[in-house]
Amino acid sequence: MDLAQTFSAALPEFILIAVALSLVLVAAFDRSSESEAGSMKLVRSLSLGGYGLAFLSLLTLSSEQVVLFNGLFATDGFSLYMKGLVLLGAFFASWLVSDGWGEGIDRPEFHLLVLMAVLGMLLMISAHDLIALYMGLELQSLPLYVIAAMRTNSLKSSEAGLKYFLLGALSSGMLLYGASLVYGFAGSTAYADIAASLSGDVPVGLTVGMVFLLSGLAFKISAAPFHMWTPDVYEGAPTPVTALFAIVPKVAAMTLVMNVTYFAFSGISVQWAQILIALSVASMIVGATGAIMQQNIKRMLAYSSIAHMGYALAGLAAGTAEGATGVVIYMTTYVFMGAGAFSIIMSLRRDGAPVERISDLSGLSSSHPLLAAGMMVVMFSMAGIPPLAGFFGKWYVFLAAVNAGLVPLAIIGVLTSVVGAFYYLRIIKLMYFEDADAPLDEGLSRQNRLVLLTSLAVIILFFLGIGQLAGTADTNVQAFF
Protein backbone atom coordinates (compact mmCIF):
# COMPACT_ATOMS: atom_id res chain seq x y z
CA MET A 1 0.00 0.00 0.00
CA ASP A 2 1.47 3.34 -1.03
CA LEU A 3 1.76 6.46 1.07
CA ALA A 4 -1.38 8.08 -0.34
CA GLN A 5 -3.53 5.05 0.46
CA THR A 6 -2.06 4.84 3.96
CA PHE A 7 -2.69 8.52 4.52
CA SER A 8 -6.30 8.32 3.32
CA ALA A 9 -7.17 5.24 5.42
CA ALA A 10 -5.95 6.93 8.60
CA LEU A 11 -7.18 10.39 7.58
CA PRO A 12 -9.20 11.15 10.77
CA GLU A 13 -6.17 10.45 12.95
CA PHE A 14 -3.88 12.55 10.75
CA ILE A 15 -6.38 15.44 10.88
CA LEU A 16 -6.44 15.34 14.69
CA ILE A 17 -2.63 15.16 14.83
CA ALA A 18 -2.35 18.20 12.55
CA VAL A 19 -4.89 20.15 14.57
CA ALA A 20 -3.22 19.17 17.86
CA LEU A 21 0.17 20.38 16.63
CA SER A 22 -1.46 23.60 15.46
CA LEU A 23 -3.09 24.08 18.85
CA VAL A 24 0.28 23.75 20.57
CA LEU A 25 1.67 26.55 18.45
CA VAL A 26 -1.43 28.72 18.74
CA ALA A 27 -1.60 28.35 22.51
CA ALA A 28 2.09 29.15 22.89
CA PHE A 29 2.69 31.86 20.32
CA ASP A 30 -0.65 33.44 19.50
CA ARG A 31 -0.07 37.18 19.34
CA SER A 32 -3.26 38.18 17.57
CA SER A 33 -5.32 38.11 20.73
CA GLU A 34 -5.06 40.68 23.43
CA SER A 35 -5.86 38.27 26.21
CA GLU A 36 -5.79 34.59 27.07
CA ALA A 37 -9.53 34.54 26.45
CA GLY A 38 -8.89 35.28 22.79
CA SER A 39 -6.37 32.47 22.57
CA MET A 40 -8.81 30.16 24.35
CA LYS A 41 -11.53 31.01 21.83
CA LEU A 42 -9.23 30.33 18.89
CA VAL A 43 -8.04 27.01 20.33
CA ARG A 44 -11.62 25.97 21.04
CA SER A 45 -12.76 26.82 17.52
CA LEU A 46 -9.85 24.91 15.99
CA SER A 47 -10.53 21.83 18.10
CA LEU A 48 -14.22 21.85 17.21
CA GLY A 49 -13.28 22.27 13.55
CA GLY A 50 -10.86 19.35 13.90
CA TYR A 51 -13.61 17.07 15.21
CA GLY A 52 -15.89 18.19 12.39
CA LEU A 53 -13.28 17.60 9.70
CA ALA A 54 -12.31 14.22 11.13
CA PHE A 55 -15.99 13.21 11.23
CA LEU A 56 -16.54 14.28 7.63
CA SER A 57 -13.41 12.40 6.55
CA LEU A 58 -14.97 9.19 7.88
CA LEU A 59 -17.68 9.54 5.24
CA THR A 60 -15.07 9.33 2.48
CA LEU A 61 -13.49 6.08 3.71
CA SER A 62 -14.34 2.60 2.49
CA SER A 63 -16.05 0.15 4.86
CA GLU A 64 -13.82 -2.63 3.50
CA GLN A 65 -11.11 -3.77 5.89
CA VAL A 66 -7.77 -2.00 5.40
CA VAL A 67 -4.73 -3.05 7.47
CA LEU A 68 -1.86 -0.58 7.85
CA PHE A 69 1.51 -0.13 9.56
CA ASN A 70 2.57 -3.79 9.50
CA GLY A 71 -0.72 -4.96 10.96
CA LEU A 72 -0.82 -2.53 13.90
CA PHE A 73 -3.75 -0.49 12.62
CA ALA A 74 -6.93 -1.52 10.79
CA THR A 75 -10.10 0.15 9.64
CA ASP A 76 -13.41 -1.34 8.56
CA GLY A 77 -17.09 -0.41 8.67
CA PHE A 78 -17.37 -1.20 12.38
CA SER A 79 -14.38 0.92 13.40
CA LEU A 80 -15.52 3.81 11.21
CA TYR A 81 -18.94 3.81 12.86
CA MET A 82 -17.51 3.73 16.39
CA LYS A 83 -15.04 6.48 15.52
CA GLY A 84 -17.97 8.55 14.32
CA LEU A 85 -19.68 8.09 17.69
CA VAL A 86 -16.50 9.12 19.55
CA LEU A 87 -16.00 12.22 17.41
CA LEU A 88 -19.66 13.19 17.78
CA GLY A 89 -19.48 12.77 21.56
CA ALA A 90 -16.21 14.74 21.73
CA PHE A 91 -17.78 17.53 19.69
CA PHE A 92 -20.77 17.65 22.06
CA ALA A 93 -18.56 17.65 25.18
CA SER A 94 -16.26 20.38 23.83
CA TRP A 95 -19.15 22.43 22.49
CA LEU A 96 -20.78 22.45 25.92
CA VAL A 97 -17.83 24.39 27.39
CA SER A 98 -17.82 26.97 24.65
CA ASP A 99 -19.44 29.70 26.70
CA GLY A 100 -16.67 30.25 29.24
CA TRP A 101 -17.65 27.60 31.74
CA GLY A 102 -14.90 28.50 34.22
CA GLU A 103 -14.16 26.08 37.08
CA GLY A 104 -10.47 26.43 36.27
CA ILE A 105 -10.68 24.76 32.87
CA ASP A 106 -11.01 27.91 30.74
CA ARG A 107 -7.47 27.56 29.46
CA PRO A 108 -6.25 26.57 25.98
CA GLU A 109 -4.58 23.48 27.40
CA PHE A 110 -7.98 21.96 28.16
CA HIS A 111 -9.06 21.60 24.54
CA LEU A 112 -5.59 20.45 23.50
CA LEU A 113 -5.62 17.68 26.11
CA VAL A 114 -9.14 16.61 25.13
CA LEU A 115 -8.07 16.49 21.49
CA MET A 116 -5.08 14.27 22.35
CA ALA A 117 -7.34 11.98 24.39
CA VAL A 118 -9.76 11.67 21.46
CA LEU A 119 -6.84 10.84 19.16
CA GLY A 120 -5.91 8.05 21.58
CA MET A 121 -9.50 6.78 21.45
CA LEU A 122 -9.45 6.60 17.64
CA LEU A 123 -6.19 4.66 17.80
CA MET A 124 -7.70 2.30 20.38
CA ILE A 125 -10.63 1.58 18.06
CA SER A 126 -8.32 0.78 15.12
CA ALA A 127 -5.74 -1.11 17.17
CA HIS A 128 -5.02 -4.50 15.63
CA ASP A 129 -2.19 -5.47 17.92
CA LEU A 130 -1.63 -5.46 21.68
CA ILE A 131 1.16 -2.88 21.38
CA ALA A 132 -1.05 -0.53 19.38
CA LEU A 133 -3.82 -1.18 21.91
CA TYR A 134 -1.61 -0.10 24.79
CA MET A 135 -0.25 2.96 22.99
CA GLY A 136 -3.76 4.17 22.18
CA LEU A 137 -4.98 3.44 25.70
CA GLU A 138 -2.21 5.45 27.33
CA LEU A 139 -2.55 8.29 24.84
CA GLN A 140 -6.19 8.48 25.91
CA SER A 141 -5.59 8.05 29.63
CA LEU A 142 -2.73 10.48 30.33
CA PRO A 143 -4.59 13.63 29.16
CA LEU A 144 -7.70 12.49 31.03
CA TYR A 145 -5.72 12.18 34.28
CA VAL A 146 -4.61 15.79 33.86
CA ILE A 147 -7.97 17.34 33.04
CA ALA A 148 -9.65 15.47 35.92
CA ALA A 149 -7.36 17.46 38.26
CA MET A 150 -7.38 20.66 36.24
CA ARG A 151 -9.34 22.62 38.88
CA THR A 152 -6.21 23.17 40.94
CA ASN A 153 -7.97 25.26 43.59
CA SER A 154 -10.31 22.37 44.42
CA LEU A 155 -9.29 19.61 46.81
CA LYS A 156 -11.92 17.29 45.32
CA SER A 157 -10.60 17.82 41.80
CA SER A 158 -7.02 17.14 42.87
CA GLU A 159 -8.17 14.04 44.74
CA ALA A 160 -10.14 12.89 41.69
CA GLY A 161 -7.14 13.30 39.40
CA LEU A 162 -4.80 11.54 41.82
CA LYS A 163 -7.21 8.66 42.43
CA TYR A 164 -7.87 8.29 38.71
CA PHE A 165 -4.13 8.26 38.00
CA LEU A 166 -3.23 5.73 40.71
CA LEU A 167 -6.03 3.31 39.86
CA GLY A 168 -5.42 3.87 36.16
CA ALA A 169 -1.76 2.96 36.65
CA LEU A 170 -2.85 -0.19 38.48
CA SER A 171 -5.17 -1.18 35.65
CA SER A 172 -2.42 -0.47 33.09
CA GLY A 173 -0.12 -2.76 35.05
CA MET A 174 -2.71 -5.53 35.01
CA LEU A 175 -3.28 -5.04 31.30
CA LEU A 176 0.46 -5.09 30.55
CA TYR A 177 0.97 -8.20 32.66
CA GLY A 178 -1.85 -9.92 30.81
CA ALA A 179 -0.48 -8.80 27.44
CA SER A 180 2.95 -10.14 28.40
CA LEU A 181 1.50 -13.53 29.27
CA VAL A 182 -0.48 -13.61 26.03
CA TYR A 183 2.64 -12.74 24.05
CA GLY A 184 4.67 -15.34 25.91
CA PHE A 185 2.26 -18.17 25.12
CA ALA A 186 0.96 -17.02 21.71
CA GLY A 187 4.34 -15.85 20.39
CA SER A 188 2.91 -12.65 18.93
CA THR A 189 1.09 -9.47 19.89
CA ALA A 190 -0.95 -9.28 16.68
CA TYR A 191 -4.65 -10.06 17.10
CA ALA A 192 -4.66 -12.33 14.04
CA ASP A 193 -1.67 -14.36 15.29
CA ILE A 194 -3.18 -14.67 18.77
CA ALA A 195 -6.43 -15.93 17.26
CA ALA A 196 -4.49 -18.45 15.13
CA SER A 197 -2.63 -19.75 18.19
CA LEU A 198 -5.87 -20.71 19.93
CA SER A 199 -6.52 -23.84 17.90
CA GLY A 200 -6.23 -27.09 19.81
CA ASP A 201 -5.27 -27.12 23.48
CA VAL A 202 -5.03 -23.61 24.84
CA PRO A 203 -2.28 -23.08 27.45
CA VAL A 204 -3.52 -22.12 30.89
CA GLY A 205 -1.07 -19.22 30.94
CA LEU A 206 -2.66 -17.70 27.87
CA THR A 207 -6.09 -17.91 29.49
CA VAL A 208 -4.69 -16.26 32.62
CA GLY A 209 -3.19 -13.52 30.45
CA MET A 210 -6.57 -12.96 28.81
CA VAL A 211 -8.16 -12.61 32.27
CA PHE A 212 -5.66 -9.93 33.30
CA LEU A 213 -6.09 -8.18 29.96
CA LEU A 214 -9.86 -8.04 30.30
CA SER A 215 -9.55 -6.90 33.93
CA GLY A 216 -7.47 -3.92 32.79
CA LEU A 217 -10.02 -3.09 30.11
CA ALA A 218 -12.90 -3.47 32.59
CA PHE A 219 -11.40 -0.57 34.55
CA LYS A 220 -11.64 1.64 31.48
CA ILE A 221 -15.36 1.01 31.04
CA SER A 222 -16.09 1.31 34.81
CA ALA A 223 -17.33 -2.27 35.04
CA ALA A 224 -17.72 -3.57 38.62
CA PRO A 225 -15.68 -4.53 40.59
CA PHE A 226 -13.21 -2.22 38.81
CA HIS A 227 -15.52 0.77 39.15
CA MET A 228 -14.13 2.31 42.38
CA TRP A 229 -12.72 5.40 40.71
CA THR A 230 -15.88 6.35 38.86
CA PRO A 231 -18.11 8.05 41.51
CA ASP A 232 -15.26 10.03 43.07
CA VAL A 233 -13.81 11.15 39.73
CA TYR A 234 -17.25 12.07 38.35
CA GLU A 235 -17.96 14.15 41.47
CA GLY A 236 -14.54 15.75 41.89
CA ALA A 237 -13.72 16.59 38.27
CA PRO A 238 -15.03 19.82 36.74
CA THR A 239 -18.50 19.23 35.30
CA PRO A 240 -17.43 19.58 31.62
CA VAL A 241 -14.75 16.97 32.27
CA THR A 242 -17.34 14.70 33.87
CA ALA A 243 -19.51 15.18 30.78
CA LEU A 244 -16.61 14.07 28.62
CA PHE A 245 -16.00 11.02 30.82
CA ALA A 246 -19.69 10.14 30.68
CA ILE A 247 -20.05 10.45 26.92
CA VAL A 248 -16.90 9.46 25.05
CA PRO A 249 -14.18 7.19 26.57
CA LYS A 250 -16.52 4.30 27.30
CA VAL A 251 -17.47 4.04 23.62
CA ALA A 252 -13.81 3.63 22.65
CA ALA A 253 -13.08 1.24 25.52
CA MET A 254 -16.13 -0.91 24.76
CA THR A 255 -15.03 -1.10 21.12
CA LEU A 256 -11.63 -2.24 22.35
CA VAL A 257 -13.23 -4.98 24.46
CA MET A 258 -15.23 -6.13 21.43
CA ASN A 259 -12.12 -6.25 19.21
CA VAL A 260 -10.14 -8.20 21.80
CA THR A 261 -12.83 -10.74 22.63
CA TYR A 262 -14.55 -11.25 19.29
CA PHE A 263 -11.36 -11.21 17.23
CA ALA A 264 -8.14 -11.89 19.17
CA PHE A 265 -9.67 -14.40 21.63
CA SER A 266 -12.44 -15.75 19.42
CA GLY A 267 -11.12 -19.29 19.96
CA ILE A 268 -11.78 -19.24 23.71
CA SER A 269 -15.18 -17.55 23.72
CA VAL A 270 -16.47 -19.88 26.46
CA GLN A 271 -13.79 -18.63 28.85
CA TRP A 272 -14.16 -14.91 28.21
CA ALA A 273 -17.95 -15.15 28.12
CA GLN A 274 -17.87 -16.30 31.76
CA ILE A 275 -15.78 -13.27 32.70
CA LEU A 276 -18.09 -10.89 30.85
CA ILE A 277 -21.15 -12.44 32.47
CA ALA A 278 -19.63 -11.92 35.93
CA LEU A 279 -18.69 -8.32 35.08
CA SER A 280 -22.14 -7.67 33.66
CA VAL A 281 -24.01 -9.01 36.69
CA ALA A 282 -21.76 -7.15 39.15
CA SER A 283 -22.02 -3.90 37.20
CA MET A 284 -25.81 -4.03 36.90
CA ILE A 285 -26.28 -4.73 40.61
CA VAL A 286 -23.64 -2.28 41.88
CA GLY A 287 -24.79 0.45 39.51
CA ALA A 288 -28.50 0.11 40.25
CA THR A 289 -28.20 -0.18 44.03
CA GLY A 290 -25.38 2.35 44.40
CA ALA A 291 -27.23 5.12 42.56
CA ILE A 292 -30.22 4.93 44.92
CA MET A 293 -28.19 6.24 47.87
CA GLN A 294 -26.60 9.22 46.11
CA GLN A 295 -27.46 12.85 46.80
CA ASN A 296 -25.05 14.31 44.25
CA ILE A 297 -26.34 14.13 40.69
CA LYS A 298 -22.88 13.51 39.21
CA ARG A 299 -22.30 10.59 41.55
CA MET A 300 -25.76 9.26 40.67
CA LEU A 301 -24.92 9.42 36.96
CA ALA A 302 -21.59 7.73 37.70
CA TYR A 303 -23.38 4.72 39.21
CA SER A 304 -25.89 4.91 36.37
CA SER A 305 -23.02 4.64 33.88
CA ILE A 306 -21.73 1.54 35.70
CA ALA A 307 -25.15 -0.06 35.32
CA HIS A 308 -25.28 0.92 31.64
CA MET A 309 -21.94 -0.77 31.01
CA GLY A 310 -23.38 -3.88 32.69
CA TYR A 311 -26.30 -3.87 30.26
CA ALA A 312 -23.95 -3.47 27.27
CA LEU A 313 -21.74 -6.31 28.55
CA ALA A 314 -24.82 -8.56 28.66
CA GLY A 315 -25.05 -8.23 24.88
CA LEU A 316 -21.32 -8.71 24.49
CA ALA A 317 -21.36 -11.85 26.64
CA ALA A 318 -23.78 -13.45 24.17
CA GLY A 319 -20.82 -13.85 21.80
CA THR A 320 -23.02 -13.62 18.71
CA ALA A 321 -23.49 -11.20 15.85
CA GLU A 322 -26.84 -10.31 17.37
CA GLY A 323 -25.13 -9.41 20.64
CA ALA A 324 -22.50 -7.29 18.87
CA THR A 325 -25.26 -5.44 17.03
CA GLY A 326 -27.03 -4.87 20.34
CA VAL A 327 -23.86 -3.37 21.85
CA VAL A 328 -23.43 -0.99 18.90
CA ILE A 329 -27.06 0.16 19.25
CA TYR A 330 -26.70 0.47 23.03
CA MET A 331 -23.55 2.61 22.82
CA THR A 332 -25.25 4.83 20.21
CA THR A 333 -28.14 5.55 22.57
CA TYR A 334 -25.70 5.98 25.47
CA VAL A 335 -23.86 8.85 23.73
CA PHE A 336 -27.02 10.84 23.13
CA MET A 337 -28.51 10.17 26.58
CA GLY A 338 -25.26 11.28 28.25
CA ALA A 339 -25.02 14.40 26.08
CA GLY A 340 -28.64 15.31 26.84
CA ALA A 341 -28.29 14.81 30.59
CA PHE A 342 -25.10 16.86 30.91
CA SER A 343 -26.32 19.66 28.64
CA ILE A 344 -29.09 20.17 31.23
CA ILE A 345 -26.89 19.74 34.31
CA MET A 346 -24.39 22.27 32.93
CA SER A 347 -27.24 24.73 32.44
CA LEU A 348 -28.31 24.64 36.08
CA ARG A 349 -26.71 27.40 38.15
CA ARG A 350 -27.62 29.32 41.24
CA ASP A 351 -26.04 32.76 41.66
CA GLY A 352 -23.62 31.87 38.90
CA ALA A 353 -22.35 28.71 40.61
CA PRO A 354 -23.13 25.26 39.18
CA VAL A 355 -25.53 23.12 41.20
CA GLU A 356 -24.84 19.45 41.76
CA ARG A 357 -27.24 18.20 44.45
CA ILE A 358 -30.20 16.18 43.25
CA SER A 359 -32.42 18.22 45.57
CA ASP A 360 -31.46 21.35 43.58
CA LEU A 361 -33.74 20.04 40.83
CA SER A 362 -36.80 20.49 43.07
CA GLY A 363 -39.48 22.59 41.40
CA LEU A 364 -37.53 22.81 38.13
CA SER A 365 -40.75 22.42 36.13
CA SER A 366 -42.02 25.73 37.53
CA SER A 367 -38.93 27.82 36.93
CA HIS A 368 -37.49 26.06 33.86
CA PRO A 369 -40.28 24.00 32.23
CA LEU A 370 -38.35 23.22 29.05
CA LEU A 371 -35.30 21.99 30.94
CA ALA A 372 -37.53 19.89 33.20
CA ALA A 373 -39.28 18.37 30.17
CA GLY A 374 -35.91 17.62 28.57
CA MET A 375 -34.58 16.01 31.73
CA MET A 376 -37.76 13.95 32.03
CA VAL A 377 -37.29 12.57 28.50
CA VAL A 378 -33.63 11.72 29.20
CA MET A 379 -34.47 10.03 32.52
CA PHE A 380 -37.29 8.02 30.94
CA SER A 381 -34.91 6.93 28.18
CA MET A 382 -32.21 5.91 30.66
CA ALA A 383 -34.83 3.93 32.57
CA GLY A 384 -35.74 2.11 29.34
CA ILE A 385 -39.28 3.41 28.93
CA PRO A 386 -40.64 2.78 25.37
CA PRO A 387 -40.62 4.16 22.73
CA LEU A 388 -37.53 6.17 23.68
CA ALA A 389 -33.98 5.29 22.56
CA GLY A 390 -32.91 3.67 25.84
CA PHE A 391 -35.65 1.07 25.52
CA PHE A 392 -34.35 -0.18 22.18
CA GLY A 393 -30.79 -0.35 23.48
CA LYS A 394 -31.83 -2.62 26.34
CA TRP A 395 -34.20 -4.59 24.13
CA TYR A 396 -31.47 -5.55 21.68
CA VAL A 397 -28.84 -6.56 24.27
CA PHE A 398 -31.28 -8.52 26.46
CA LEU A 399 -32.82 -10.24 23.41
CA ALA A 400 -29.34 -11.26 22.28
CA ALA A 401 -28.61 -12.64 25.75
CA VAL A 402 -31.86 -14.65 25.76
CA ASN A 403 -31.24 -16.07 22.27
CA ALA A 404 -27.73 -17.09 23.38
CA GLY A 405 -29.18 -19.05 26.29
CA LEU A 406 -28.25 -16.47 28.93
CA VAL A 407 -31.79 -16.14 30.25
CA PRO A 408 -30.77 -15.59 33.92
CA LEU A 409 -28.49 -12.73 32.82
CA ALA A 410 -31.33 -11.09 30.92
CA ILE A 411 -33.66 -11.51 33.93
CA ILE A 412 -31.09 -9.85 36.22
CA GLY A 413 -30.82 -7.06 33.67
CA VAL A 414 -34.57 -6.50 33.66
CA LEU A 415 -34.78 -6.58 37.46
CA THR A 416 -31.93 -4.10 37.90
CA SER A 417 -33.55 -1.90 35.25
CA VAL A 418 -36.66 -1.82 37.44
CA VAL A 419 -34.51 -0.86 40.44
CA GLY A 420 -32.77 1.76 38.33
CA ALA A 421 -36.11 3.25 37.32
CA PHE A 422 -36.52 4.30 40.97
CA TYR A 423 -33.73 6.87 40.97
CA TYR A 424 -34.60 8.16 37.52
CA LEU A 425 -38.25 8.62 38.51
CA ARG A 426 -37.17 10.24 41.79
CA ILE A 427 -35.64 13.10 39.78
CA ILE A 428 -38.88 13.51 37.80
CA LYS A 429 -40.85 13.57 41.06
CA LEU A 430 -38.57 16.29 42.48
CA MET A 431 -38.90 18.40 39.35
CA TYR A 432 -42.68 18.18 39.07
CA PHE A 433 -44.04 17.58 42.58
CA GLU A 434 -41.65 19.43 44.92
CA ASP A 435 -41.24 23.13 45.61
CA ALA A 436 -37.95 24.83 44.85
CA ASP A 437 -35.79 25.89 47.81
CA ALA A 438 -34.32 28.84 45.92
CA PRO A 439 -34.67 29.89 42.28
CA LEU A 440 -32.06 28.86 39.76
CA ASP A 441 -30.49 31.29 37.31
CA GLU A 442 -32.39 32.01 34.11
CA GLY A 443 -31.13 31.27 30.65
CA LEU A 444 -29.86 28.40 28.54
CA SER A 445 -26.76 28.99 26.47
CA ARG A 446 -26.83 28.56 22.72
CA GLN A 447 -24.37 25.67 22.96
CA ASN A 448 -26.35 23.79 25.56
CA ARG A 449 -29.58 24.37 23.66
CA LEU A 450 -28.14 22.89 20.46
CA VAL A 451 -26.76 19.77 22.18
CA LEU A 452 -29.97 19.30 24.17
CA LEU A 453 -32.27 19.64 21.15
CA THR A 454 -30.11 17.28 19.07
CA SER A 455 -30.03 14.69 21.84
CA LEU A 456 -33.77 14.91 22.49
CA ALA A 457 -34.55 14.61 18.79
CA VAL A 458 -32.50 11.42 18.54
CA ILE A 459 -33.87 9.97 21.79
CA ILE A 460 -37.52 10.64 20.89
CA LEU A 461 -37.34 9.75 17.19
CA PHE A 462 -34.93 6.84 17.58
CA PHE A 463 -37.65 4.31 16.75
CA LEU A 464 -37.95 5.77 13.24
CA GLY A 465 -34.38 4.82 12.37
CA ILE A 466 -33.86 1.72 14.49
CA GLY A 467 -34.38 -0.63 11.52
CA GLN A 468 -31.79 1.16 9.42
CA LEU A 469 -29.35 1.39 12.34
CA ALA A 470 -29.74 -2.29 13.21
CA GLY A 471 -29.12 -3.25 9.58
CA THR A 472 -26.02 -1.06 9.38
CA ALA A 473 -24.67 -2.35 12.69
CA ASP A 474 -25.36 -5.96 11.70
CA THR A 475 -23.45 -5.49 8.43
CA ASN A 476 -20.50 -3.84 10.17
CA VAL A 477 -20.08 -6.48 12.90
CA GLN A 478 -20.03 -9.36 10.41
CA ALA A 479 -16.24 -8.91 10.17
CA PHE A 480 -16.01 -10.53 13.61
CA PHE A 481 -17.80 -13.72 12.62
Side-chain angles (χ1 to χ4, degrees):
M1 180 172 287
D2 60 28
L3 185 62
Q5 289 174 312
T6 301
F7 182 81
S8 62
L11 188 56
E13 287 80 4
F14 282 117
I15 289 175
L16 293 189
I17 290 172
V19 174
L21 293 176
S22 302
L23 294 188
V24 173
L25 297 176
V26 169
F29 300 109
D30 178 38
R31 295 286 184 268
S32 62
S33 304
E34 296 180 357
S35 65
E36 191 175 2
S39 180
M40 170 74 175
K41 186 176 181 181
L42 182 58
V43 168
R44 187 173 59 219
S45 300
L46 286 173
S47 67
L48 289 173
Y51 298 136
L53 276 177
F55 185 86
L56 291 176
S57 71
L58 291 173
L59 305 178
T60 67
L61 300 181
S62 168
S63 60
E64 299 295 323
Q65 188 182 57
V66 178
V67 181
L68 307 171
F69 307 121
N70 295 321
L72 294 173
F73 183 97
T75 66
D76 52 28
F78 172 71
S79 67
L80 295 181
Y81 181 86
M82 300 309 275
K83 285 180 184 179
L85 273 185
V86 167
L87 289 169
L88 194 61
F91 186 90
F92 282 159
S94 298
W95 181 257
L96 285 173
V97 295
S98 295
D99 60 342
W101 174 262
E103 275 202 58
I105 66 165
D106 45 353
R107 287 177 282 176
E109 293 86 349
F110 173 76
H111 287 285
L112 175 60
L113 290 168
V114 172
L115 193 71
M116 296 303 294
V118 173
L119 175 59
M121 294 174 205
L122 298 195
L123 294 178
M124 286 164 60
I125 291 173
S126 278
H128 218 52
D129 183 286
L130 295 180
I131 295 175
L133 177 157
Y134 187 72
M135 295 296 289
L137 202 61
E138 289 305 298
L139 181 57
Q140 175 214 245
S141 300
L142 293 175
L144 295 184
Y145 298 149
V146 177
I147 62 174
M150 207 161 187
R151 197 168 51 178
T152 52
N153 59 351
S154 167
L155 184 61
K156 279 189 174 180
S157 180
S158 301
E159 180 186 349
L162 183 61
K163 185 174 290 187
Y164 191 30
F165 171 72
L166 292 176
L167 293 176
L170 176 65
S171 75
S172 292
M174 294 171 63
L175 190 145
L176 270 180
Y177 183 61
S180 302
L181 284 174
V182 171
Y183 172 69
F185 285 94
S188 174
T189 56
Y191 289 177
D193 293 338
I194 295 170
S197 72
L198 296 178
S199 58
D201 293 334
V202 178
V204 176
L206 197 150
T207 305
V208 173
M210 181 266 294
V211 172
F212 274 98
L213 194 64
L214 287 183
S215 299
L217 294 177
F219 174 90
K220 301 300 179 185
I221 59 171
S222 306
F226 305 98
H227 67 285
M228 300 78 74
W229 61 277
T230 313
D232 293 337
V233 172
Y234 269 51
E235 182 185 11
T239 305
V241 176
T242 309
L244 179 75
F245 284 164
I247 300 172
V248 191
K250 291 187 175 65
V251 176
M254 185 61 77
T255 308
L256 199 54
V257 176
M258 292 177 73
N259 279 329
V260 169
T261 53
Y262 281 159
F263 188 36
F265 295 110
S266 56
I268 50 173
S269 58
V270 174
Q271 286 88 336
W272 58 252
Q274 295 175 22
I275 298 171
L276 296 185
I277 290 170
L279 291 173
S280 175
V281 171
S283 300
M284 289 189 287
I285 294 175
V286 169
T289 55
I292 293 176
M293 299 175 280
Q294 304 306 316
Q295 300 302 318
N296 181 291
I297 193 165
K298 291 201 293 185
R299 286 186 71 88
M300 190 276 280
L301 288 175
Y303 278 101
S304 169
S305 75
I306 295 169
H308 283 300
M309 290 305 103
Y311 303 138
L313 285 172
L316 197 59
T320 61
E322 187 182 16
T325 300
V327 176
V328 172
I329 293 172
Y330 200 93
M331 298 313 294
T332 304
T333 65
Y334 180 77
V335 167
F336 288 98
M337 291 189 297
F342 275 93
S343 67
I344 295 171
I345 292 170
M346 291 175 65
S347 302
L348 302 178
R349 296 187 176 221
R350 179 171 289 134
D351 299 328
V355 298
E356 295 181 357
R357 293 179 305 165
I358 293 176
S359 58
D360 289 325
L361 298 175
S362 299
L364 189 67
S365 62
S366 301
S367 58
H368 300 74
L370 294 179
L371 284 182
M375 182 62 99
M376 181 175 67
V377 170
V378 173
M379 292 295 106
F380 274 145
S381 181
M382 285 188 172
I385 305 296
L388 301 175
F391 166 77
F392 292 100
K394 290 183 179 178
W395 172 266
Y396 273 87
V397 293
F398 292 157
L399 184 63
V402 169
N403 290 339
L406 303 176
V407 177
L409 181 63
I411 292 175
I412 293 173
V414 172
L415 292 177
T416 52
S417 294
V418 173
V419 175
F422 170 80
Y423 50 81
Y424 295 128
L425 295 178
R426 181 178 59 162
I427 290 179
I428 297 172
K429 172 180 172 292
L430 282 172
M431 293 191 300
Y432 283 91
F433 299 103
E434 300 286 343
D435 296 326
D437 296 332
L440 298 174
D441 295 348
E442 293 292 338
L444 179 65
S445 72
R446 180 168 57 93
Q447 290 83 4
N448 289 34
R449 189 181 303 120
L450 178 65
V451 174
L452 178 59
L453 291 178
T454 304
S455 301
L456 291 179
V458 173
I459 291 171
I460 294 172
L461 302 176
F462 195 77
F463 68 94
L464 295 177
I466 183 62
Q468 179 70 29
L469 176 60
T472 303
D474 193 48
T475 302
N476 289 333
V477 301
Q478 290 305 317
F480 289 124
F481 302 93

